[in-house]
Amino acid sequence: MTETPDNRGYQRVLLKLSGEVFGGGKVGLDPEVVRGIARQIAEAVKSQVQVCVVIGGGNFFRGAQLQDKGMDRARADYIGMLGTVMNCLALQDFLEKEGVETRVQSAIEMTQVAEPYIPRRAMRHMDKGRVVIFGAGAGMPYFSTDTVSAQRALETKCDAVLIAKNGVDGVYDADPKTNPAAKRYDSLTYAEALARGLKVVDAAAFSLCMDNKLPMIVFGMEGDGNVAAAVRGEKIGTVVTA
C-alpha cells in the first residue's frame, strides 16, 4: 500500500463531489469547473491511487426542493438521480481528455451511456487504473448521495470516503457562513459528530461509516489542488473516525 505524507496510506478512495460545484453556483454545468476537477483527479490517479467518484445533482435538481413545490417525493428523487448521471458523463468526458480511462456505472439501467452498477466490476476497473463514477444515487428514492457515497465506498472496499464541500473547508462546531466565531475540528469521532448534531453529511452516512470503521475526510473544494491532495492522502480538512 502506498505511503502518503501523513501515513494515511490510501490505496483506493471514494471521492464525493458536490453537484452545486459543477454548476459554478448556477443551474447547469460550468465546463471550466469540471475541467479543473478532472485535472486534479487525473493528477492523483497518476500517483497510483485508485479512485471512484459519487457526484450530487444539486446543480440540476434536488428531490427535497421539488417536493417542497408540490411534487411527489419519490418521483422528485428519481429526477434528481438523472441529474447526477448528467454530471457523471460530463466528468467522464473531461477525465478522458486528461488521458484517464473512465467508466460510469448507473444504479438505474441506461445501457447506452453507462454500465450497470456491479461492485466487483467497479473494483476490477479500479485495479486497472480506471476511474469509476457512480451515477443515479442508490437507484431508490429517499437516499441521499452522502449515504450512497458511504455505501459504495464500503462495497468496493475503499480505504476512506472523501467529502468535498462547497464553501467550507472542514467540520465546524457551528455554521461558519453565519457564525464567524465557528471553530474547525482537525479531527473528531463519528459518535462526537452525531452527539453534537453536526450537519456535515446525513446521519445515515455517518452511522454507516462509524459501524464499519471507515474513515471520512471532509475538506473544501476551493483552493488549487485540494482534490488531488485529499485523494493522495495529504493532511487536509477534518478527519472523522470511529
Side-chain angles (χ1 to χ4, degrees):
M1 189 175 286
T2 305
E3 288 299 316
T4 46
D6 63 351
N7 296 316
R8 289 181 187 164
Y10 298 151
Q11 182 175 351
R12 177 182 295 162
V13 298
L14 184 139
L15 175 64
K16 163 67 193 325
L17 298 170
S18 163
E20 289 92 333
V21 172
F22 273 49
K26 300 177 182 177
V27 174
L29 281 164
D30 184 330
E32 289 305 313
V33 171
V34 182
R35 181 180 287 110
I37 293 169
R39 283 175 179 161
Q40 291 194 58
I41 294 173
E43 180 187 335
V45 169
K46 288 169 187 173
S47 66
Q48 306 302 309
V49 182
Q50 297 179 14
V51 181
C52 53
V53 184
V54 169
I55 312 171
N59 53 320
F60 290 114
F61 306 101
R62 278 186 175 276
Q65 291 175 352
L66 292 174
Q67 181 189 31
D68 291 342
K69 301 295 183 182
M71 184 176 285
D72 174 76
R73 175 60 190 266
R75 190 164 292 115
D77 278 355
Y78 281 117
I79 292 173
M81 291 177 214
L82 298 179
T84 71
V85 175
M86 290 191 278
N87 285 335
C88 291
L89 295 175
L91 182 60
Q92 179 183 38
D93 186 74
F94 283 107
L95 276 169
E96 293 190 341
K97 284 179 169 62
E98 296 294 322
V100 177
E101 273 199 85
T102 310
R103 297 290 186 272
V104 174
Q105 291 195 349
S106 172
I108 296 175
E109 189 170 331
M110 44 184 79
T111 53
Q112 285 183 288
V113 296
E115 298 178 354
Y117 170 59
I118 301 174
R120 287 187 178 273
R121 181 182 289 179
M123 293 163 69
R124 183 64 176 147
H125 285 319
M126 286 187 277
D127 284 340
K128 293 181 177 181
R130 299 166 183 154
V131 171
V132 182
I133 311 171
F134 299 122
M140 299 177 288
Y142 306 105
F143 285 86
S144 74
T145 48
D146 285 342
T147 303
V148 172
S149 297
Q151 189 277 332
R152 296 290 190 258
L154 289 166
E155 197 165 20
T156 57
K157 303 189 186 312
C158 290
D159 299 319
V161 57
L162 314 177
I163 307 291
K165 304 296 286 185
N166 183 28
V168 62
D169 62 350
V171 180
Y172 284 77
D173 59 1
D175 186 350
K177 296 177 183 178
T178 59
N179 184 355
K183 295 181 180 179
R184 194 187 80 179
Y185 297 100
D186 288 330
S187 63
L188 74 163
T189 67
Y190 290 112
E192 289 170 340
L194 288 167
R196 295 170 189 173
L198 302 176
K199 306 293 186 183
V200 184
V201 299
D202 291 348
F206 266 151
S207 295
L208 269 174
C209 293
M210 179 173 65
D211 292 346
N212 294 279
K213 297 180 173 57
L214 178 69
M216 177 184 291
I217 316 300
V218 181
F219 68 99
M221 288 200 65
E222 294 79 8
D224 190 29
N226 277 8
V227 171
V231 171
R232 286 194 301 261
E234 295 176 15
K235 191 171 183 178
I236 188 172
T238 302
V239 182
V240 192
T241 61

